[in-house]
Amino acid sequence: MTRIRELDALRGFAVGGIMLVNTWQHTAKEPRVGLDWTIEALFQSRFYPIFSLLFGISFLLFLRGNSRWALLSRLFWLFGIGLVQHTFYPGEVLTDYAFWGAVVLLPVSFLVGRVPLLVLGAGVVAIVVAVRMGGGAQIIPGVFLVGMGLWRLRPSRRLLLPGFGVAALATALLTAEWASTDEWWVYSVAALTGAAAYALGLLLVLRPWLSAVLEPLGRMALTNYVSGTAVIVLATPLLDADPTRWSVVGLTLATLVVQFLGSRWWLARYRYGPLEWIWRSLTWFRPVPNRLESGRDHNRPLPDPGVS
C-alpha cells in the first residue's frame, strides 16, 4: 500500500509537538516563567487532537484491505503496548486510543461509507459534550469520528486557506478570552481551533524539504513517541532543576534531531520502525517482511497489514 506522504508529515509534526508539551508537563512549574505561559497558550493540547484525527483516518486506511478481526487484533496489541508504557509513564494515551478505537470506531466503520456527514456531525457533537465535561482526553473519540468523516467526504483543498484563516482568528480570540477569564472550556475550544490552524497551516506551507524532515518522524510515530517518553522520564531530574524551563526546549530539539536522523537511517533499510514492526507482527501472529530489498522505493512498501 502506498504511503500518503502528507499524512506522514502531519503525524511527524504532531509527534514533535507532543514531545515538546510532554517534556514541559514533567517540569516543576513554580515559580512560573514566560516560557510556561507560551507553551500553555500556544502548544499544550494542540497536538494530540491532530494525532487523534489521523488515527481515525488510519483506521479507514487499514480497512481498505484487511478485516475487522485483524483491526481488532491491532487494537488489542496497541492496548498492550500502552499498558507496558503506563508502567513508567501514567499519562500515556495509547490505551485510550485502543479502547476508543474498539468501542467507537469499529462499530461506526460499518456506517461511515454510507453516511459520512452523519459520522462527522456525531463527532462534532461528541467533542462539544466532551468539552462541557472538562475536555482533555475525553475529546479523543469525537476527534476520531471527525477524522473518519472528513476522510470520506474529502473536502476540496481550496478550503485550506479560508479554513486556516477562520481557525487562526478563532484561536487568537479564544486565547485572549482565556487569558482574561481563565475559563477552562474556553481554553479547550482554543486548543481545538489551534490544532486545526496548525494542521491546515502545515498543509498550506508543506514543501518537499519540510516533508522530508517530518515524514520519517511520522512513519515511525509509535517508536518515536515511546522512545521520547523514555527520554523525558530519564531527564526529569534535570528538567526539575532548571528554573528557566529552557531545558525543555533544548531536550525536545535534541531528541527530535536524534529521532529524525535515526528514523531516516532506519527507513532507508527497513519498511517499518522497530515498534511498528513488532506491532504488525503481533497483529498477524507472524513476523512480517521488513528489510528493504536493494533498489526498492521505501515509500512504496510491499502489500502490508495496515498503515500506521
Side-chain angles (χ1 to χ4, degrees):
M1 183 180 292
T2 303
R3 304 289 310 193
I4 301 175
R5 302 182 68 173
E6 285 186 332
L7 297 186
D8 283 334
L10 272 174
R11 192 178 290 110
F13 175 70
V15 166
I18 289 170
M19 179 66 195
L20 172 66
V21 173
N22 284 356
T23 305
W24 173 74
Q25 288 177 339
H26 278 73
T27 62
K29 301 177 184 64
E30 294 297 336
R32 288 178 65 84
V33 295
L35 191 60
D36 293 323
W37 186 92
T38 300
I39 293 177
E40 189 173 21
L42 301 181
F43 300 111
Q44 184 175 233
S45 300
R46 266 68 170 175
F47 297 100
Y48 77 87
I50 299 175
F51 210 88
S52 302
L53 188 87
L54 294 170
F55 191 87
I57 293 172
S58 68
F59 201 93
L60 294 180
L61 294 177
F62 184 91
L63 285 175
R64 281 179 174 178
N66 300 285
S67 70
R68 287 177 174 81
W69 285 112
L71 183 54
L72 194 58
S73 173
R74 185 170 170 83
L75 293 173
F76 172 80
W77 289 112
L78 181 63
F79 191 86
I81 294 171
L83 287 179
V84 172
Q85 189 185 19
H86 187 79
T87 61
F88 61 90
Y89 180 56
E92 61 83 28
V93 296
L94 298 180
T95 50
D96 292 318
Y97 277 38
F99 174 79
W100 290 116
V103 171
V104 175
L105 293 186
L106 195 60
V108 171
S109 67
F110 290 96
L111 301 174
V112 67
R114 301 183 181 89
V115 284
L117 192 59
L118 179 62
V119 171
L120 178 62
V124 172
V125 170
I127 291 171
V128 171
V129 172
V131 168
R132 290 180 62 87
M133 293 173 61
Q138 296 176 95
I139 72 165
I140 288 175
V143 180
F144 281 176
L145 295 179
V146 169
M148 292 179 79
L150 286 175
W151 186 251
R152 285 297 188 189
L153 291 169
R154 300 291 183 91
S156 170
R157 291 186 65 89
R158 289 179 294 181
L159 296 176
L160 284 178
L161 183 57
F164 168 75
V166 170
L169 178 60
T171 302
L173 295 175
L174 288 164
T175 301
E177 177 69 14
W178 166 72
S180 63
T181 65
D182 203 30
E183 290 282 352
W184 178 251
W185 73 268
V186 176
Y187 182 84
S188 296
V189 178
L192 287 168
T193 59
Y198 281 149
L200 295 172
L202 179 66
L203 291 175
L204 282 170
V205 302
L206 196 61
R207 297 295 183 271
W209 67 268
L210 180 57
S211 187
V213 172
L214 296 175
E215 283 179 50
L217 293 171
R219 289 182 61 191
M220 287 178 45
L222 180 61
T223 296
N224 289 328
Y225 171 66
V226 173
S227 62
T229 300
V231 169
I232 294 169
V233 172
L234 292 172
T236 296
L238 170 65
L239 297 171
D240 285 340
D242 175 23
T244 70
R245 240 78 77 212
W246 279 104
S247 59
V248 168
V249 178
L251 182 65
T252 299
L253 291 176
T255 302
L256 291 176
V257 168
V258 171
Q259 288 181 337
F260 162 70
L261 294 174
S263 297
R264 186 174 179 180
W265 179 90
W266 185 275
L267 292 171
R269 293 158 178 82
Y270 301 95
R271 297 183 182 93
Y272 318 116
L275 286 183
E276 286 76 9
W277 178 79
I278 291 172
W279 187 17
R280 282 173 167 79
S281 297
L282 289 171
T283 297
W284 294 97
F285 299 101
R286 59 175 173 79
V288 299
N290 196 23
R291 183 175 288 277
L292 286 170
E293 299 175 12
S294 178
R296 180 180 296 277
D297 179 2
H298 63 265
N299 286 318
R300 299 171 80 72
L302 290 174
D304 161 43
V307 176
S308 62

